[in-house]
Amino acid sequence: MFILVNLKTYPCDPVAVAEAVRDVDEKTDARLAVAPQDAHVERVAATGVETWAQHVDPIDHGSNTGHALAESLAEAGAEGTLINHSEKRLKLADIDGSIRAAERAGLETIVCANNPAQIGASAALGPDAVAVEPPELIGTGTPVSQADPDVVEDAVDAADGVDDDVSVLCGAGISTGEDVVSAADLGAEGVLLASGVAKADDPAAALADLVDPL
Amino acid sequence: MFILVNLKTYPCDPVAVAEAVRDVDEKTDARLAVAPQDAHVERVAATGVETWAQHVDPIDHGSNTGHALAESLAEAGAEGTLINHSEKRLKLADIDGSIRAAERAGLETIVCANNPAQIGASAALGPDAVAVEPPELIGTGTPVSQADPDVVEDAVDAADGVDDDVSVLCGAGISTGEDVVSAADLGAEGVLLASGVAKADDPAAALADLVDPL
Amino acid sequence: MFILVNLKTYPCDPVAVAEAVRDVDEKTDARLAVAPQDAHVERVAATGVETWAQHVDPIDHGSNTGHALAESLAEAGAEGTLINHSEKRLKLADIDGSIRAAERAGLETIVCANNPAQIGASAALGPDAVAVEPPELIGTGTPVSQADPDVVEDAVDAADGVDDDVSVLCGAGISTGEDVVSAADLGAEGVLLASGVAKADDPAAALADLVDPL
Amino acid sequence: MFILVNLKTYPCDPVAVAEAVRDVDEKTDARLAVAPQDAHVERVAATGVETWAQHVDPIDHGSNTGHALAESLAEAGAEGTLINHSEKRLKLADIDGSIRAAERAGLETIVCANNPAQIGASAALGPDAVAVEPPELIGTGTPVSQADPDVVEDAVDAADGVDDDVSVLCGAGISTGEDVVSAADLGAEGVLLASGVAKADDPAAALADLVDPL
């Protein structure tokens, strides 16, 4: 099970959360990683934790002021990147371009999408993984695996129908180990987390609870 | 074979082109249609030609100033709509939303995309058809079926691999009957045309040449 | 006083509202106009009412699929256009381009903005008028002139400080004649209305009440 | 004279350029700074050079995956930020929001714009400075101060007419000390540079030539 902790632009200490993720990762069979802001990637990666970017732009080296270049994030220590998160929705052509940019730089890719139809579409672009996150559940504390289990199973079916090499994750509202187990039972190979860990008083304890049942 | 003439914002007389399309349509087995600007849909549809919109927004009735509502275009006479044309690229979630809006209003849908991977993605969203138009060939006069025949065949394969109920069209650079025949030979069920007809001195003659070999 | 009724994509009969606006306009000293969807401009203008577009794109004739061309809207009967409505926010460079496009086609321009600073910025681009509409009040029924009178006066000051040839209108929550009088008292030369008229059971009666105190 | 070297996403070594900028800054009366990619801000700032961001988003701490937060860039060592660069054009409301975000984090602001009208508009939003860069000259090697001197003088007039506390810089095609002197003669208080330094074989020598006539 892959657990990716998205730090968004939360007012947390990215290095402290990274160290917590790293420490829990060493004690569990699950694979844990953290996605900080671009300005924090180097410091977070220096902790030894698996580090992901939150976004890369569909660009190459060149005249692209204010853009996120996959090569620079990889060189700073990122090993993967989210693409098309619901808080950073992209044009279809740019999702394709961002996957190509990430591949070029050796970054693993997870394309996020709202529903099974968009998951099928995302899978057709050939990323490493897709993640279904119903926007109405993000940040609610109500896990998608409980509020809308069909959406996870349908997403798995949609991705498999297009390309069964593409892994399926789910996100939105996941905060307990039980939620992670439910997600796995529905066919998800991983989960996206955010506030449940990043805003926890004790991120290490929150993560330990989360991986405990795995 | 479906031939859709996109009038973009060309300085042509939309009613004159519409009448030419209608007249040629009556004399051929091909299915011809024309896509005028929103402000011209009603006048164009009044000629009796099959009329398409160039875009619909992923919205419903409500507070959406400056948007194209599928219901209003349908009521004005449109029977279908392009979505995600390379000159009006949309976010993945909005392509999905625009297809749903069009379906709700009874409009047929063609989703445009740049390459076979994006065609597969578009097909996964369940439109009636997809159209592959390599952006670098649009407006060149060099037909995609000649410049890059593989892209048409690969697009047909990509769409079929996802959903073989979705028709595949191609566009970019098509201006002669020979180009249309080549497109059909490569597996396309239709073509998108623009300047070759809309900017012709005699649109009716240009269209007659185009459908002659069919 | 200029009263512009924005029909957005409301499920109203645009011609019926247009006729009501036209009839009330003939009986009052105020100047009334209506802004329908693009697909309705021609039919609405045919009623004889002053007709506005809700948006124009920063483009010219050419390869611009799915865009709103100022010339086509003018030819269909529009006499002016909103630009940068809060439901159709534009890049700064595109507001500039849309004003130029509208001028080229002979359309009067009103640039909308959220607050006095943005009103000053909009006035610096040289439109005919600007309209301040605090987004949090749009559609509330609480008039800006009552909820936040300072924002109207500050907008008038901001516009005057930049270019006192630019008229200032206000919008958001205006639904009664008293609201219109308050707006005028605060220095506004016009108001933007929407649901108060477009969604009224009897648009003509709603408008008659609105202009009664003028 | 303020000289800001924008590293865009060029394939240069950001630390090497930063050290060159720092070294030349220590030997001249001009003020020099460098704007690296977000992922490089911390390493660049560690050289001691004045460091700028290329962009900040109009957001606060919170759920904003894939966005550039002013506070994080400031904490990583940035002292200022470009906003609305021609390669990262923003909506008017978002330029306003990005200036507010930068102010909140203590970052100095330069808003870029295409022409004098947009410079006036940008100045009305109250940034520390504005920079006029005609898009058609960016990357050409033909300096704006020579190709279109009026645009610089008109930009100075436009900004002064709105708020004479706002400094005016210019950019596009500047690569020699003579270009910088011309810009100053036209009223600019600074220049934006990019390829002329970032792509130079010897950035330190390029910069030394640039500040030599000052």
Side-chain angles (χ1 to χ4, degrees), chain C residues 84 89-97 100 111-122 124-125 161-162, chain D residues 84 89-97 100 111-122 124-125 161-162:
Chain C
N84 195 46
R89 285 289 184 234
L90 301 184
K91 295 180 182 178
L92 172 62
D94 289 340
I95 299 175
D96 188 17
R100 294 324 136 216
V111 176
C112 303
N114 293 344
N115 59 34
Q118 293 171 32
I119 283 291
S122 300
L125 297 172
V162 167
Chain D
N84 195 45
R89 286 289 184 233
L90 301 183
K91 295 180 182 179
L92 172 62
D94 290 339
I95 299 175
D96 188 17
R100 294 323 137 219
V111 176
C112 303
N114 293 344
N115 59 33
Q118 292 171 32
I119 284 291
S122 300
L125 298 171
V162 167

Side-chain angles (χ1 to χ4, degrees), chain B residues 3-210:
Chain B
I3 298 176
L4 178 58
V5 180
N6 178 0
L7 302 189
K8 301 190 175 187
T9 58
Y10 292 138
C12 60
D13 176 345
V15 170
V17 178
E19 289 170 344
V21 174
R22 178 200 60 196
D23 293 348
V24 174
D25 179 64
E26 289 169 359
K27 297 176 199 142
T28 173
D29 289 340
R31 170 186 170 199
L32 275 69
V34 65
Q37 299 171 51
D38 286 4
H40 297 151
V41 164
E42 190 160 334
R43 250 189 299 159
V44 162
T47 66
V49 75
E50 181 178 331
T51 305
W52 280 56
Q54 296 179 9
H55 165 76
V56 296
D57 279 301
I59 56 156
D60 207 331
H61 282 104
S63 293
N64 304 294
T65 300
H67 287 68
L69 178 67
E71 276 80 357
S72 297
L73 291 159
E75 184 227 359
E79 300 177 49
T81 186
L82 293 173
I83 292 172
N84 195 45
H85 189 276
S86 69
E87 294 154 11
K88 188 74 176 179
R89 285 289 184 234
L90 301 183
K91 295 180 183 179
L92 172 61
D94 290 339
I95 299 174
D96 188 16
S98 291
I99 295 171
R100 294 324 136 216
E103 283 175 347
R104 201 184 57 214
L107 296 177
E108 205 172 324
T109 50
I110 298 175
V111 176
C112 302
N114 293 344
N115 58 34
Q118 292 171 32
I119 283 291
S122 300
L125 298 171
D128 295 301
V130 291
V132 64
E133 290 198 295
E136 64 278 15
L137 296 178
I138 293 179
T140 58
T142 305
V144 59
S145 48
Q146 180 185 312
D148 197 356
D150 286 354
V151 86
V152 180
E153 291 186 310
D154 291 350
V156 171
D157 289 347
D160 283 355
V162 168
D163 181 349
D164 57 16
D165 285 341
V166 175
S167 303
V168 179
L169 292 79
C170 67
I174 290 173
S175 60
T176 70
E178 194 185 348
D179 301 341
V180 179
V181 169
S182 300
D185 289 345
L186 294 166
E189 298 176 47
V191 294
L192 301 189
L193 299 173
S195 55
V197 171
K199 291 182 161 179
D201 289 334
D202 184 345
L207 279 164
D209 284 354
L210 211 79

Side-chain angles (χ1 to χ4, degrees), chain A residues 22-41:
Chain A
R22 177 200 61 195
D23 293 348
V24 174
D25 179 65
E26 289 169 359
K27 297 175 199 145
T28 174
D29 289 340
R31 170 186 171 199
L32 275 70
V34 65
Q37 298 171 51
D38 287 3
H40 296 152
V41 164

Side-chain angles (χ1 to χ4, degrees), chain C residues 107-206:
Chain C
L107 296 177
E108 205 173 324
T109 51
I110 298 175
V111 176
C112 303
N114 293 344
N115 59 34
Q118 293 171 32
I119 283 291
S122 300
L125 297 172
D128 295 300
V130 290
V132 65
E133 291 198 295
E136 65 277 15
L137 297 178
I138 293 179
T140 58
T142 304
V144 59
S145 46
Q146 180 184 312
D148 197 356
D150 288 352
V151 85
V152 180
E153 291 185 310
D154 292 349
V156 171
D157 289 346
D160 284 354
V162 167
D163 180 350
D164 57 15
D165 285 342
V166 176
S167 302
V168 179
L169 292 78
C170 67
I174 290 174
S175 59
T176 70
E178 194 185 347
D179 301 340
V180 179
V181 170
S182 301
D185 289 345
L186 294 166
E189 298 176 47
V191 294
L192 301 188
L193 299 174
S195 54
V197 171
K199 292 181 160 179
D201 289 334
D202 183 346

Side-chain angles (χ1 to χ4, degrees), chain D:
Chain D
M1 202 71 180
F2 182 38
I3 298 176
L4 178 59
V5 180
N6 178 1
L7 302 188
K8 303 190 174 186
T9 59
Y10 291 138
C12 60
D13 176 346
V15 171
V17 178
E19 288 170 344
V21 174
R22 178 201 61 197
D23 293 348
V24 174
D25 178 65
E26 288 170 0
K27 298 176 198 142
T28 174
D29 289 341
R31 170 187 171 199
L32 275 70
V34 65
Q37 298 171 51
D38 287 3
H40 296 152
V41 164
E42 190 161 333
R43 250 189 299 158
V44 162
T47 67
V49 76
E50 182 178 332
T51 305
W52 280 55
Q54 297 178 9
H55 165 76
V56 296
D57 279 301
I59 57 156
D60 207 331
H61 282 105
S63 293
N64 303 294
T65 300
H67 287 69
L69 179 67
E71 277 80 356
S72 297
L73 291 159
E75 184 227 359
E79 299 177 49
T81 186
L82 293 173
I83 292 172
N84 195 45
H85 188 276
S86 69
E87 294 154 11
K88 188 75 175 178
R89 286 289 184 233
L90 301 183
K91 295 180 182 179
L92 172 62
D94 290 339
I95 299 175
D96 188 17
S98 291
I99 295 171
R100 294 323 137 219
E103 284 175 348
R104 200 185 57 215
L107 296 176
E108 205 173 324
T109 50
I110 298 175
V111 176
C112 303
N114 293 344
N115 59 33
Q118 292 171 32
I119 284 291
S122 300
L125 298 171
D128 296 299
V130 290
V132 65
E133 291 198 294
E136 64 278 15
L137 297 178
I138 293 179
T140 57
T142 305
V144 59
S145 47
Q146 181 185 311
D148 197 356
D150 287 353
V151 85
V152 180
E153 291 187 308
D154 292 349
V156 172
D157 289 347
D160 284 354
V162 167
D163 180 350
D164 57 17
D165 286 340
V166 175
S167 303
V168 179
L169 291 79
C170 67
I174 290 173
S175 59
T176 70
E178 195 185 347
D179 300 341
V180 179
V181 170
S182 300
D185 289 346
L186 293 166
E189 297 176 47
V191 295
L192 301 188
L193 299 174
S195 55
V197 170
K199 292 182 159 177
D201 289 333
D202 184 345
L207 278 164
D209 283 354
L210 210 78
V211 301
D212 184 58
L214 296 182

